[in-house]
Amino acid sequence: MDLSAREFLADRARRFEAASAGEYPRQIEALASAALACLRAGGKILAFGNGGSAALAQHFAGELTGRFLQNRRPLPALSLTAETAALTAIANDFGYAQVFARPLEALARPGDLALGLTTSGKSPSVLAALECARRLGVKTALLSGKGGGPAARAAEVAAVVPSDDTGFIQEAHAAALHYLCHRLDAAFPEGGST
């Protein structure tokens, strides 16, 4: 389907409007509350995903350790997708499904939040990481689409985009992560002690 830029943006606006009328906003609020509780208790957020979801995990961690819209203290967040040497060594030695579970086992502690991103909800590496996090007593959260799949059942908090379109799911995940950044900016203002 060949759309003009105006038609494409209008289509996306319709999709976001439809998503905002369902459960997705409530699910994003629950995810924001889990992230806020984690950080207020002194925990860290560990984000992970494959492909475009890996890029979103890195972007999110960068917004927290750097800044989003305002200066504030850096917030503890890591993207498990950023260590190329570790990812490739783990994939080679233990299989690709372990690329996030092993770093989680090394870095995560109770009180942290493991945040997986998968458009399908079926990614073996994301599912293995969520299961590992639960065994470690780490809170688990997920951004997904396409019904959520097994990963949504493995996560304590799941925000599932009501769509089967991978591109739109990623766009909705980016919007959700920016909403989390907005909430965290407000909770940890510049010079504040919240």
Side-chain angles (χ1 to χ4, degrees), residues 5-91:
R6 182 180 302 278
E7 291 167 330
F8 179 84
L9 292 173
D11 171 70
R12 282 342 202 215
R14 284 190 294 275
R15 291 175 188 236
F16 270 107
E17 186 173 346
S20 69
E23 289 297 306
Y24 191 55
R26 183 193 60 75
Q27 295 168 345
I28 294 170
E29 290 287 359
L31 179 54
S33 294
L36 186 54
C38 165
L39 295 173
R40 281 190 168 146
K44 63 187 170 295
I45 299 173
L46 300 110
F48 49 91
N50 298 290
S53 296
L56 288 173
Q58 289 180 5
H59 175 69
F60 179 59
E63 298 286 27
L64 296 189
T65 58
R67 67 185 294 264
F68 181 54
L69 297 178
Q70 64 184 28
N71 290 333
R72 50 145 166 75
R73 72 173 175 89
L75 301 173
L78 295 169
S79 169
L80 301 182
T81 66
E83 293 293 330
T84 308
L87 287 173
T88 55
I90 293 165

